[in-house]
């Protein structure tokens, strides 16, 4: 049934694009397969809780297909909608972006609606695997539980003789109930159930919500020849709630209060002929710090790469002194091969090291160690 609905969705867009001269349809996708070579399991901690691998070959968790429609409403107005179907959600199409764009000049644009939260260097293309060398954007450093917001964004670009500067400001809000990524993270930390012979049988039921209000942010990006420097800043208010679920219903364990929040991110990118180097660091006030750095070498159709990434959480809620901390690092070794201008085949070996007290994924032998080695292959494309 899910595939039927998704096929109908694709067909409707194809028909619409054939009849409407002002409608442009594009898309992208990734077919991702992965397995665990050692350890109890590997989880990339992607948005919505995707990227989980246990035993055998897993083809659903990260695979995705998206269509984007750009409709020219008038000379300066465009309407943009992006729909993404993920294997993690049984390929049920969901609206990712939906906004109106007013082109004020060749260098200035105003957007209103549901937009991608522009906090990271690769925020806009996190799902578009063909645009970057890695099999996935290093998820240790792309850990924010919200990737879209509802609001307004204004961008201005200045072109200089040596490069360009782009300045973006935005404001909005976003409610997640439940917050699927945080719920999955906390479930593994809360209760892992095992039968009498020690087999993992499931997780304890919890429910988390996260509401954001008064979100105000800015992004400053400077590009000079082979160097790109980017800085983003976001502030606002957030309300996080954590509920235990029992036969008697929901019981608030902690949270449910509005607190100020800040998120900072900085990145440096170098494009030196065949070499590509990038480093990114971010800080989520009282929640975590994370980072990644990567080097890739493009030799015609082949691009080998390596990256290092890390995440370190902090204890946020004093009312829960037993709360365990998250601290882990990843090393990725991969290779990309360009089959065509917009088609790439990738493979990546990921070495995950759990350095914290909290279990990051399934801990079958209950020793607190969730280290893992995983292998994945992807076919990325756009059209």
């Amino acid at each position: 049934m899910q595939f039927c609905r998704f096929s109908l969705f694709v067909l409707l867009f194809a028909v619409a694009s054939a009849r409407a001269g002002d409608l442009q349809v594009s898309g992208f996708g990734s077919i991702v397969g992965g397995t665990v070579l050692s350890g109890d399991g590997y989880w990339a901690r992607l948005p919505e809780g995707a990227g989980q691998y246990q035993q055998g070959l897993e083809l659903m968790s990260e695979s995705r297909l998206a269509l984007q429609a750009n409709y020219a409403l008038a000379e300066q107005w465009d309407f943009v909608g992006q729909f993404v179907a993920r294997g993690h959600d049984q390929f049920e199409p969901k609206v990712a972006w939906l906004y109106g764009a007013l082109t004020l000049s060749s260098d200035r644009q105003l957007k209103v609606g549901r937009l991608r939260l522009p906090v990271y260097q690769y925020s806009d293309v996190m799902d578009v695997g063909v645009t970057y060398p890695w099999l996935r954007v290093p998820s240790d450093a792309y850990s924010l539980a919200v990737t879209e917001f509802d609001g307004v964004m204004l961008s201005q670009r200045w072109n200089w003789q040596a490069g360009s500067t782009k300045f973006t400001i935005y404001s909005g809000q976003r409610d997640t109930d439940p917050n699927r990524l945080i719920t999955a993270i906390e479930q593994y930390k809360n209760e892992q159930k095992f039968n009498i012979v020690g087999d993992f049988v499931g997780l304890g039921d919890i429910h988390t919500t996260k509401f954001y209000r008064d979100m105000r942010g800015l992004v400053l990006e400077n590009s000079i020849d082979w160097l790109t420097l980017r800085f983003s800043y976001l502030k606002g208010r957030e309300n996080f709630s954590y509920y235990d679920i029992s036969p008697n219903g929901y019981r608030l364990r902690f949270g449910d209060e509005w607190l100020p929040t800040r998120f900072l991110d900085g990145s440096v990118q170098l494009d030196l002929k065949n070499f590509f180097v990038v480093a990114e660091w971010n800080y989520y006030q009282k929640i975590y710090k994370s980072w990644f750095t990567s080097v890739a070498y493009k030799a015609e159709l082949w691009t080998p790469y390596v990256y290092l990434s890390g995440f370190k959480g902090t204890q946020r809620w004093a009312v829960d002194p037993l709360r365990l901390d998250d601290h882990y690092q990843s090393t990725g070794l991969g290779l990309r091969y360009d089959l065509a201008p917009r088609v790439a085949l990738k493979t990546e070996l990921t070495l995950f090291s759990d350095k914290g007290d909290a279990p990051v994924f399934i801990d079958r032998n209950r020793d607190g160690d969730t280290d893992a080695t995983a292998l994945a292959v992807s076919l990325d494309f756009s059209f």
Side-chain angles (χ1 to χ4, degrees):
M1 180 61 70
Q2 300 291 356
F3 253 122
C4 289
R5 284 192 290 186
F6 183 62
S7 300
L8 178 61
F9 158 80
V10 174
L11 178 63
L12 289 175
F13 262 96
V15 172
S17 64
R19 293 182 177 180
D22 294 328
L23 179 66
Q24 296 182 343
V25 178
S26 57
F28 59 87
S30 294
I31 302 172
V32 186
T35 188
V36 176
L37 301 180
S38 66
D40 297 332
Y42 171 69
W43 178 22
R45 288 192 167 192
L46 296 171
E48 302 297 312
Q52 299 187 19
Y53 298 92
Q54 297 182 39
Q55 298 175 349
L57 180 64
E58 167 61 54
L59 290 168
M60 293 285 283
S61 191
E62 290 188 75
S63 295
R64 56 198 178 271
L65 180 63
L67 289 176
Q68 179 167 312
N70 293 61
Y71 182 69
L73 295 172
E75 184 177 351
Q76 293 178 293
W77 275 101
D78 294 282
F79 182 78
V80 179
Q82 185 183 104
F83 303 83
V84 181
R86 303 180 187 275
H88 185 64
D89 293 321
Q90 304 302 309
F91 288 104
E92 180 179 354
K94 293 185 178 181
V95 177
W97 301 356
L98 192 65
Y99 63 86
L102 173 61
T103 301
L104 301 170
S105 72
S106 60
D107 298 315
R108 187 180 303 120
Q109 189 176 55
L110 177 69
K111 298 178 181 179
V112 181
R114 173 152 296 180
L115 304 160
R116 176 59 59 90
L117 197 60
V119 292
Y120 302 120
Q121 170 84 14
Y122 294 92
S123 283
D124 285 349
V125 294
M126 284 177 60
D127 290 323
V128 192
V130 74
T131 62
Y132 44 77
W134 319 287
L135 185 134
R136 64 179 73 86
V137 173
S139 54
D140 293 352
Y142 280 54
S143 305
L144 203 61
V146 172
T147 55
E148 286 84 28
F149 75 104
D150 301 321
V152 59
M153 178 186 296
L154 177 65
S155 297
Q156 170 71 52
R157 180 182 295 276
W158 295 273
N159 293 310
W160 315 107
Q161 185 174 0
S164 65
T165 298
K166 183 178 181 181
F167 181 71
T168 301
I169 56 174
Y170 61 94
S171 180
Q173 64 181 44
R174 185 75 166 112
D175 292 345
T176 57
D177 183 6
N179 189 292
R180 294 177 63 185
L181 177 59
I182 299 179
T183 297
I185 290 171
E186 296 297 331
Q187 279 184 313
Y188 289 108
K189 294 165 64 173
N190 177 58
E191 180 186 11
Q192 299 194 16
K193 299 178 181 179
F194 298 85
N195 59 23
I196 57 175
V197 296
D199 296 327
F200 175 78
V201 295
L203 302 168
D205 290 330
I206 64 168
H207 184 92
T208 70
T209 66
K210 202 154 196 177
F211 305 137
Y212 293 89
R213 293 287 187 274
D214 304 325
M215 300 171 74
R216 299 183 298 278
L218 63 86
V219 181
L220 179 63
E221 182 174 316
N222 287 285
S223 297
I224 305 173
D225 194 13
W226 46 265
L227 175 65
T228 300
L229 302 174
R230 188 180 188 275
F231 172 78
S232 71
Y233 175 76
L234 171 65
K235 67 176 296 185
R237 297 183 300 128
E238 66 175 41
N239 185 312
F240 174 71
S241 298
Y242 183 122
Y243 299 89
D244 290 314
I245 302 177
S246 69
N248 297 324
Y250 286 53
R251 181 182 67 84
L252 179 68
R253 181 185 293 190
F254 57 86
D256 196 20
E257 62 176 317
W258 288 97
L259 298 170
T261 185
R262 288 179 174 82
F263 185 88
L264 295 88
D265 182 273
S267 65
V268 180
Q269 180 174 305
L270 289 77
D271 294 282
L272 303 169
K273 293 184 179 179
N274 298 93
F275 279 98
F276 168 82
V277 182
V278 63
E280 188 164 2
W281 174 90
N282 52 61
Y283 169 66
Y284 190 179
Q285 184 182 28
K286 298 183 180 179
I287 305 293
Y288 65 74
K289 299 177 183 178
S290 65
W291 58 273
F292 89 92
T293 184
S294 177
V295 177
Y297 179 79
K298 184 170 179 59
E300 295 183 352
L301 301 178
W302 298 90
T303 306
Y305 66 85
V306 59
Y307 74 81
L308 303 174
S309 62
F311 178 101
K312 184 173 177 58
T314 58
Q315 184 172 310
R316 171 69 182 266
W317 298 280
V319 296
D320 188 17
L322 299 180
R323 181 178 174 80
L324 302 176
D325 75 308
D326 303 272
H327 184 197
Y328 45 85
Q329 293 183 354
S330 299
T331 301
L333 303 170
L335 181 65
R336 168 178 171 151
Y337 177 71
D338 292 326
L339 296 169
R342 293 187 289 179
V343 182
L345 181 66
K346 304 174 187 175
T347 183
E348 179 177 301
L349 179 70
T350 307
L351 310 174
F352 179 82
S353 177
D354 183 4
K355 299 177 178 296
D357 300 320
V360 176
F361 197 44
I362 299 170
D363 186 11
R364 297 184 189 278
N365 55 9
R366 287 167 279 183
D367 62 354
D369 182 3
T370 52
D371 290 355
T373 301
L375 179 67
V377 177
S378 70
L379 178 66
D380 301 325
F381 54 89
S382 64
F383 53 90

